[in-house]
Amino acid sequence: MDTKYIKIPASFGGRSIRDVSEEELEQLKRQLLEAAEILKSGGLVAFPTETVYGLGGDAKNPMAAQKIYAAKGRPSDNPLIVHIARTDQLKGLAAEVPETAEKLIRAFWPGPLTLILRKRQDVPYSTTGGLDTVAVRMPEHPVAWALIDASGIAVAAPSANASGRPSPTRAEHVAEDLSGKIDVILDGGDVGIGIESTIVDVTVKPSVILRPGYITKEMLEAVDGRVDLDPAITEKPAEGVRPKAPGMKYRHYAPRAELTLVAGSRSKVIERICREAKKAQSEGHIVGIIATDETESCYQKKPEWIVKSVGSGKNLPAVARNMFRVLREFDQTNAEVLFAETFPEEELGQAIMNRLKKAAGYRIIQAENEDEV
Ligand code: TXA
Ligand code: MG
């Protein structure tokens, strides 16, 4: 299949649909007409959202869902998030909208928050991975919002990466993984957030965060009181335990090289990474290091090591924005063994560490603990 590449002004990246004028919106919708028609007729369109690029298909068309699974090489028991542009589309998807959901919608939609709701009967099981619930979100990226609104349908869209690879934060990443397998790639430049939406199950009380994201636990609790964290977010799920978001059980975001995280105080982490890197190098491996702006020069003393910064450790939004791109950049090098610094698991650091741990297959060394390998 020939994948059509359509370029949209990158100036919409990092903006919210709330701040786009009527005139800009009309112009944008004209550019998106062809892609919207393809979606309506069962085709697949990759598009930028404020979090990561999504791979869209008609949420009510089981054939479209099957095409999405095939293009991504994704197991079909891993449900898709349904994207809408207007709250009245919820009626066509959810059997009921609890009060908690209404509060969170008022506070955070459009935006990077996905709600798990009981599904209506006519939402196909191929979209929900066989579950009786459906994940719904309303994106705020002007291109995503306008595409969905122009198509007039609810759009099922997982992240637009091949299953297991880091999520795409720019159109080139989508092309790397899916070119030739989907109908259209809308290139809207770099996304603003860089890490996927927060997923909250509002079918239970108190509601539970199934996947941490840009909307933090603290932000949710400020709106609706107590919100719990699914234990699978911070710990490696035990053998046989099924995380509530089925996608959380799969190996994810994995770079090709073997990644190990090193935790502890900054000076100990640097020392330990240097030591582990020397050891790996002496065993004949090419070494890569994921550092921060504050620490990268400490590793650059060894010119053979490939060192990349994910941004300032004091600027977690920047780290979130750069993380997946840096993981992908390492795939373009011949690094075989990777070491990464870690971040405090609070606020946005929770989402960053959740993705890093999964990328590392939960391999973490405590810098202070000398015996650990
Ligand atoms: O930011 C995002 O959410 C991006 C953009 C494209 O919107 N989408 C995204 O989709 O990250 P995906 O498919 O890569 O991740 C969806 C996650 C999976 O872990 C899946 O298991 C979970 O959502 N999920 C979907 N429906 C669910 C449901 N009914 N119950 C529990 N988890 C669900
Ligand atoms: Mg994904």
Side-chain angles (χ1 to χ4, degrees), residues 64-78:
Q66 272 152 29
K67 281 195 214 167
I68 291 176
Y69 290 118
K72 280 181 60 92
R74 172 171 177 149
S76 59
D77 67 344
N78 188 357

Side-chain angles (χ1 to χ4, degrees), residues 346-367:
E346 46 202 50
E347 303 198 331
L348 189 51
Q350 185 113 64
I352 293 170
M353 282 306 295
N354 170 259
R355 308 309 192 270
L356 263 178
K357 283 182 184 175
K358 288 165 72 64
Y362 298 88
R363 213 176 3 256
I364 307 176
I365 323 183
Q366 297 301 327

Side-chain angles (χ1 to χ4, degrees), residues 4-67:
K4 187 165 182 174
Y5 206 84
I6 302 176
K7 215 161 165 66
I8 309 290
S11 53
F12 284 113
R15 287 181 66 192
S16 168
I17 187 64
R18 293 182 188 87
D19 311 322
V20 170
S21 70
E22 281 297 318
E23 228 177 305
E24 281 179 299
L25 183 59
E26 282 316 306
Q27 204 180 347
L28 186 54
K29 278 193 176 169
R30 275 198 294 278
Q31 280 180 287
L32 297 172
L33 266 186
E34 185 188 353
E37 284 304 322
I38 289 172
L39 274 181
K40 269 198 277 191
S41 55
L44 301 190
V45 175
F47 57 94
T49 83
E50 67 276 22
T51 56
V52 299
Y53 273 72
L55 174 60
D58 182 350
K60 291 272 181 94
N61 177 345
M63 294 295 291
Q66 272 152 29
K67 281 195 214 167

Side-chain angles (χ1 to χ4, degrees), residues 182-373:
I182 61 177
D183 298 289
V184 177
I185 298 175
L186 294 175
D187 180 355
D190 283 351
V191 300
I193 293 176
I195 217 159
E196 306 90 337
S197 62
T198 307
I199 302 180
V200 181
D201 183 355
V202 288
T203 65
V204 290
K205 253 185 178 314
S207 36
V208 181
I209 300 176
L210 304 186
R211 180 177 71 181
Y214 187 79
I215 309 277
T216 61
K217 184 172 190 293
E218 291 77 8
M219 289 159 77
L220 293 164
E221 288 187 330
V223 173
D224 190 48
R226 181 173 157 194
V227 179
D228 289 343
L229 272 188
D230 188 45
I233 287 172
T234 47
E235 305 297 328
K236 182 178 182 170
E239 245 3 273
V241 174
R242 200 180 151 90
K244 294 203 187 70
M248 303 289 273
K249 75 173 179 257
Y250 295 108
R251 188 167 148 79
H252 244 95
Y253 315 122
R256 294 189 220 283
E258 184 185 90
L259 170 64
T260 302
L261 312 183
V262 182
S265 68
R266 184 191 283 178
S267 59
K268 290 278 185 201
V269 165
I270 294 169
E271 210 181 287
R272 187 67 185 262
I273 289 183
C274 286
R275 189 142 45 88
E276 295 294 332
K278 277 183 200 149
K279 193 165 135 226
Q281 194 183 359
S282 72
E283 288 164 359
H285 297 298
I286 299 171
V287 172
I289 296 170
I290 300 177
T292 52
D293 291 354
E294 289 83 359
T295 59
E296 65 179 335
S297 62
C298 306
Y299 307 111
Q300 280 161 342
K301 291 170 196 140
K302 279 268 189 191
E304 316 86 86
W305 296 349
I306 306 165
V307 183
K308 292 179 190 286
S309 169
V310 284
S312 166
K314 293 193 206 94
N315 183 353
L316 290 184
V319 173
R321 193 156 53 239
N322 295 326
M323 183 66 71
F324 287 140
R325 175 178 54 76
V326 167
L327 286 173
R328 275 182 183 261
E329 278 174 15
F330 271 111
D331 284 350
Q332 311 281 357
T333 72
N334 41 16
E336 299 159 311
V337 176
L338 290 181
F339 297 98
E341 295 177 7
T342 52
F343 302 86
E345 274 176 82
E346 46 202 50
E347 303 198 331
L348 189 51
Q350 185 113 64
I352 293 170
M353 282 306 295
N354 170 259
R355 308 309 192 270
L356 263 178
K357 283 182 184 175
K358 288 165 72 64
Y362 298 88
R363 213 176 3 256
I364 307 176
I365 323 183
Q366 297 301 327
E368 275 86 2
N369 187 344
E370 294 299 325
D371 310 326
E372 225 172 333
V373 188

